[in-house]
Amino acid sequence: MPSSAAPARVLACDPASISFDGAGEPSFSDPATEAAIDAAAALVAAHDVVAFPTETVYGLGASALDATSAARIFTTKGRPADNPLIVHVASPAMLAALLPPGYTLPPAYAALMRAFWPGPLTLLFPFAPDAVPSLVTAGQPTVAVRMPAHPVARALIARARVPLAAPSANASGKPSPTRAAHVLADLGRAPRGLALILDGGPCAVGLESTVVDGLRPDDTLRVLRPGGAAVEDIQRVL
Ligand code: TXA
Ligand code: MG
């Protein structure tokens, strides 16, 4: 259990040392990177939070499948409970496990996922009853999901074997962090305690993911938050 006094540990990860097989399972040429990611995965299994790099910004992640974990995200950030979290998956199978049984993706989503996943595009989906705790969705009827491109994020989700709910790793109201040092300065001594920050270097995109709602009854897509996937690129794909 992290204490409120101890600052977070920062463990360096080399993204270039991680490769993935066809099923999305990671392998590591750098043992220190593998050890860091396994330490983070162990914290996730213990219902704790960890900070990790994505290609957009650093995230504050915990299991998206259980309420204790999700609650720790809100307390660590001081985030209002009415602001839903993005769920990060590492494979299409992980997304499918969240969706209502037999759900067919809208054609626009299939095209957008082909073009932008893994990457900085978040889409809203309906979800299976009880697939995600209502804390994660803040009681919304939809869940926001994205597949991050950063090798450290993908490897962490794959090793944790659960999707990660992760808002940006800043205290509520502060700017989104693009370096591990920003996370340490902002949340390294958070009241609830953040035990571990994975340092994968600066984020390449530096801007949060674009959030798109394509579940509207009139079949139009709405950009709920502009971000790393440019609206013109989204329009071109459609
Ligand atoms: O790039 C990103 O998206 C980063 C990295 C860590 O993945 N995450 C991030 O999360 O920016 P956060 O929590 O700072 O922003 C999530 C945004 C919020 O504007 C939230 O309201 C919206 O996504 N959102 C999440 N779930 C939603 C839902 N079910 N319906 C509508 N909006 C939702
Ligand atoms: Mg944020």
Side-chain angles (χ1 to χ4, degrees):
M1 198 59 49
S3 81
S4 55
R9 267 191 312 159
V10 180
L11 295 180
C13 293
D14 175 10
S17 76
I18 310 173
S19 52
F20 297 89
D21 70 13
E25 287 300 324
S27 50
F28 301 83
S29 60
D30 172 35
T33 296
E34 181 168 23
I37 284 173
D38 283 343
L43 286 167
V44 170
H47 311 286
D48 214 335
V49 293
V50 293
F52 64 98
T54 82
E55 71 281 14
T56 58
V57 299
Y58 274 73
L60 181 70
S63 170
L65 304 185
D66 102 282
T68 306
S69 302
R72 286 192 173 161
I73 294 174
F74 285 91
T75 52
T76 303
K77 272 195 72 136
R79 183 180 178 99
D82 61 0
N83 195 357
L85 304 175
I86 294 174
V87 174
H88 297 66
V89 297
S91 66
M94 233 181 221
L95 169 67
L98 301 173
L99 302 178
Y103 180 72
T104 307
L105 291 175
Y109 273 18
L112 289 173
M113 288 158 67
R114 257 196 314 278
F116 292 99
W117 281 19
L121 177 70
T122 295
L123 297 169
L124 301 195
F125 292 91
F127 54 94
D130 302 324
V132 278
S134 59
L135 260 179
V136 169
T137 58
Q140 298 290 319
T142 57
V143 61
V145 183
R146 82 177 188 97
M147 188 184 292
H150 198 293
V152 172
R154 288 173 63 198
L156 172 61
I157 299 164
R159 280 287 164 99
R161 306 214 161 277
V162 286
L164 295 184
S168 47
N170 50 282
S172 203
K174 297 279 187 65
S176 296
T178 56
R179 290 174 182 268
H182 301 164
V183 182
L184 184 64
D186 203 2
L187 292 181
R189 287 185 182 275
R192 166 70 199 33
L194 165 65
L196 179 58
I197 301 168
L198 296 179
D199 184 354
C203 300
V205 176
L207 192 68
E208 293 95 335
S209 64
T210 305
V211 180
V212 167
D213 175 9
L215 301 177
R216 297 157 53 76
D218 60 2
D219 274 343
T220 59
L221 268 78
R222 180 164 292 186
V223 175
L224 300 183
R225 180 180 70 178
V231 172
E232 311 81 73
D233 292 336
I234 292 172
Q235 280 167 336
R236 185 143 25 84
V237 167
L238 300 171

